[in-house]
Amino acid sequence: MNIMNQKGEHALHAVIVPTPAQGHVNALMNLAQLLAIRGVFVTFVNTEWIHERVVEASKKGKSLVSKDNLELEQQGWRIRFLSIPDGLPPNHGRTSNGAELMVSLQKLGPALEDLLSSAQGKSPSFPPITFIVTDAFMSCTEQVATNMSVPRVIFWPLCAAASVSQCYANFLVSEGFIPVNVSEAKNPEKLIICLPGNIPPLKPTDLLSFYRAQDPSDILFKAFLYESQKQSKGDYILVNTFEELEGKDAVTALSLNGSPALAIGPLFLSNFLEGRDSCSSLWEEEECCLTWLDMQQPGSVIYVSFGSIAVKSEQQLEQVALGLEGSGQPFLWVLRLDIAEGQAAILPEGFEERTKKRALFVRWAPQAKVLAHASVGLFLTHSGWNSTLESMSMGVPVVGFPYFGDQFLNCRFAKEVWKIGLDFEDVDLDDQKVVMKEEVEGVLRRMMSTPEGKKMRDNVLRLKESAAKAVLPGGSSFLNLNTFVKDMTMSKGLQSKNETM
Ligand SMILES: O=c1ccn([C@@H]2O[C@H](COP(=O)(O)OP(=O)(O)O[C@H]3O[C@H](CO)[C@@H](O)[C@H](O)[C@H]3O)[C@@H](O)[C@H]2O)c(=O)[nH]1
């Protein structure tokens, strides 16, 4: 790929900075590929902790990223990987202590700027940096973009409604909705209808769960309010959703300063439909589960995964296990690497023996391929936004079992707004409550074998169709991404004009 375009100008060069967590890295890696296909050079900056895991997972899998090959060169497009320390000691429990991680990330600006400046000088095969795409929760990029005089593009990895609620968090403080009073969540008069964007009315418990802390000096509470201030100041806004799902107004509401705001998702879907691997798993994907799925009846398997961060108590996992057993359906369950060692302890006695003819456990699955498999009929999920998007894009209904952050909103919207699934009663009011096996079994049976479940399957199949339309050539997200690249080209032109003035 030539660093000059046909007009003799430098090609575009995007720096992409994800929040260091699986869901965020996946979405932005998919964006990196879609930009690269459109002729943009990409520098992808992970924290060292994430980078080491991607390299390690790719050694065992078939991904193209390795320690010696830190550039992904495929079909003429160029993505370069750089990494930066996250400021925490190596043995820090990053995902279990999100507050310390977030505070540390907020201070990364100077190190990021140093890294990019030295990379600019060292690599003549990459043109000068033209813009930074920053995860909405990486406020440290603000000063870097200003100092480098390049546009700062804010990428929202959440659905538009959750993004709007976060973007307007300081306003919600002034309206008295934050801190969230969980006990008022059932009061119909407490619905939040003051947010812009024509988003459905929100319940207080739909807001990011970090705002439930009643003590405003809580570290996460403060950190998310701080991010909110920075999130309203982007030069361009991109959201991982599609207009047909959430409407244009919800996306436009994310621009408080008149900057363009566009929906470009589901980001993984066009790569998936066109057979491109996202190369961003933090753990090795156990492809063997696909062969197991081949042997199951169409639409019969319940896929169970609670994403990369959510941790359910042992007692809760035991009840989930017994509920799955009682459902009578085959199931594929992702028990993550970090907790899989304790697998014997969390699974009820005799459970593995009793279910061995219809159960498979893996540590990490090729999730999109699993959801696309004809044998999968239901997804029991923590309702992370990527999992929700992947499920609807593959036409698989969901049972939501949220844990934190935006998952409560995603879960409720799946049930009440998009009508593609169910959840468990009252989980959103008290996440300490254990959902018992009878309820787990009951909800799974309602989804798998009642007319109500069939209706939700029909609804999700309609969404599957509109998601594919959105990302394929001529679709809303496809065209929005083209518009974005064109606008970045223009803003580059404007910049060089300003420089010569
Ligand atoms: O066995 C597995 C399990 C998951 N995944 C992938 O991992 C990602 C998980 O993303 P997500 O469903 O969004 O969950 P988290 O990793 O928990 O994501 C965090 O980031 C999301 C985006 O900001 C938020 O919506 C979530 O609430 C937050 O927990 C998805 O792309 C999955 O395909 C796999 O590849 N294999």
Side-chain angles (χ1 to χ4, degrees):
M1 199 163 126
N2 201 319
I3 64 165
M4 309 299 273
N5 66 19
Q6 284 159 344
K7 290 188 203 155
E9 298 162 336
H10 276 123
L12 289 177
H13 178 181
V15 170
I16 299 191
V17 187
T19 292
Q22 181 73 81
H24 299 248
V25 174
N26 273 6
L28 279 169
M29 193 54 208
N30 278 297
L31 177 60
Q33 295 192 346
L34 294 173
L35 290 177
I37 287 164
R38 287 163 169 79
V40 180
F41 283 71
V42 177
T43 295
F44 200 89
V45 186
N46 276 318
T47 61
E48 283 174 359
W49 190 85
I50 293 284
H51 183 71
E52 278 162 22
R53 270 151 191 83
V54 173
V55 169
E56 195 55 35
S58 67
K59 262 195 226 156
K60 295 172 186 154
K62 54 184 172 18
S63 156
L64 306 169
V65 189
S66 73
K67 251 205 157 85
D68 315 314
N69 174 22
L70 297 182
E71 284 186 17
L72 191 58
E73 189 154 11
Q74 246 186 4
Q75 297 151 7
W77 38 270
R78 296 286 294 275
I79 302 178
R80 164 178 73 175
F81 295 88
L82 299 179
S83 61
I84 184 172
D86 60 16
L88 295 172
N91 58 354
H92 187 278
R94 286 161 173 77
T95 50
S96 55
N97 192 341
E100 282 178 17
L101 176 61
M102 197 154 172
V103 170
S104 191
L105 294 174
Q106 289 175 341
K107 297 180 196 145
L108 279 193
L112 178 62
E113 197 176 335
D114 284 352
L115 178 82
L116 295 177
S117 310
S118 72
Q120 291 257 59
K122 274 190 213 146
S123 185
S125 58
F126 271 65
I129 292 164
T130 36
F131 59 100
I132 296 181
V133 180
T134 174
D135 192 291
F137 295 93
M138 291 293 279
S139 55
C140 64
T141 54
E142 188 187 44
Q143 198 55 46
V144 181
T146 306
N147 293 350
M148 296 182 86
S149 305
V150 292
R152 177 169 177 260
V153 179
I154 294 187
F155 171 76
W156 283 97
L158 316 178
C159 72
S163 305
V164 168
S165 77
Q166 162 62 14
C167 192
Y168 288 81
N170 286 290
F171 166 66
L172 292 174
V173 171
S174 66
E175 293 290 300
F177 288 109
I178 290 178
V180 171
N181 187 339
V182 174
S183 61
E184 283 185 340
K186 277 200 167 166
N187 179 351
E189 282 170 22
K190 267 287 179 180
L191 279 183
I192 304 169
I193 50 171
C194 55
L195 288 171
N198 285 325
I199 60 172
L202 298 185
K203 291 182 178 177
T205 43
D206 290 332
L207 301 180
L208 296 194
S209 62
F210 316 108
Y211 295 125
R212 294 180 187 188
Q214 292 299 303
D215 173 9
S217 67
D218 176 88
I219 299 177
L220 271 182
F221 184 100
K222 276 199 330 204
F224 274 86
L225 280 183
Y226 174 78
E227 292 294 318
S228 179
Q229 286 167 20
K230 306 287 177 184
Q231 285 156 345
S232 51
K233 292 183 189 150
D235 298 307
Y236 214 106
I237 319 285
L238 300 174
V239 194
N240 193 12
T241 188
F242 53 113
E243 291 172 0
E244 293 74 7
L245 183 72
E246 296 200 79
K248 268 189 189 185
D249 290 354
V251 176
T252 310
L254 290 166
S255 167
L256 275 70
N257 56 3
S259 305
L262 298 174
I264 54 164
L267 277 170
F268 85 98
L269 188 56
S270 49
N271 287 326
F272 183 84
L273 293 175
E274 285 161 24
R276 286 182 293 271
D277 203 315
S278 84
C279 314
S280 54
S281 255
L282 302 188
W283 297 280
E284 183 193 354
E285 295 173 353
E286 294 185 35
E287 297 261 343
C288 62
C289 60
L290 299 172
T291 318
W292 181 84
L293 285 173
D294 289 342
M295 296 182 300
Q296 311 304 320
Q297 294 296 317
S300 67
V301 175
I302 301 174
Y303 171 59
V304 187
S305 168
F306 301 125
S308 64
I309 304 170
V311 182
K312 302 276 179 203
S313 68
E314 280 194 19
Q315 208 190 349
Q316 183 59 78
L317 288 176
E318 188 172 29
Q319 295 301 314
V320 169
L322 294 172
L324 282 164
E325 184 180 355
S327 77
Q329 301 292 144
F331 57 91
L332 167 60
W333 190 347
V334 177
L335 282 168
R336 272 194 336 261
L337 214 57
D338 48 343
I339 57 171
E341 310 306 338
Q343 184 174 316
I346 59 134
L347 296 177
E349 215 178 315
F351 173 78
E352 280 177 279
E353 185 56 29
R354 292 196 301 276
T355 57
K356 69 176 180 207
K357 289 214 175 97
R358 61 182 171 95
L360 184 70
F361 300 92
V362 292
R363 291 177 169 207
W364 195 248
Q367 182 164 297
K369 288 183 195 160
V370 165
L371 289 167
H373 198 287
S375 295
V376 174
L378 182 64
F379 185 7
L380 174 54
T381 169
H382 69 311
S383 305
W385 181 235
N386 294 287
S387 293
T388 307
L389 267 183
E390 288 161 14
S391 208
M392 67 172 71
S393 302
M394 299 308 178
V396 177
V398 291
V399 169
F401 201 169
Y403 176 67
F404 80 134
D406 56 326
Q407 297 159 10
F408 298 93
L409 183 147
N410 301 336
C411 175
R412 192 174 73 78
F413 274 35
K415 180 183 170 189
E416 294 176 15
V417 180
W418 304 315
K419 300 185 170 42
I420 57 167
L422 292 174
D423 61 1
F424 302 116
E425 286 298 314
D426 289 343
V427 165
D428 62 339
L429 299 184
D430 179 1
D431 53 19
Q432 300 304 311
K433 186 186 148 191
V434 174
V435 177
M436 300 308 285
K437 62 180 181 192
E438 293 78 10
E439 191 178 351
V440 175
E441 179 184 331
V443 170
L444 296 178
R445 282 183 183 274
R446 268 170 77 192
M447 290 300 299
M448 292 302 285
S449 46
T450 66
E452 185 191 17
K454 157 98 178 53
K455 211 166 176 188
M456 288 184 255
R457 263 198 301 286
D458 292 344
N459 292 342
V460 79
L461 286 173
R462 275 194 290 275
L463 280 184
K464 172 184 178 180
E465 211 174 293
S466 67
K469 255 193 204 151
V471 299
L472 287 172
S476 56
S477 292
F478 180 93
L479 295 175
N480 282 344
L481 200 50
N482 286 352
T483 302
F484 166 67
V485 173
K486 209 163 118 211
D487 286 349
M488 284 300 110
T489 311
M490 312 264 282
S491 81
K492 185 179 61 134
L494 283 178
Q495 246 174 32
S496 48
K497 224 186 261 164
N498 289 342
E499 279 161 17
T500 54
M501 273 165 45

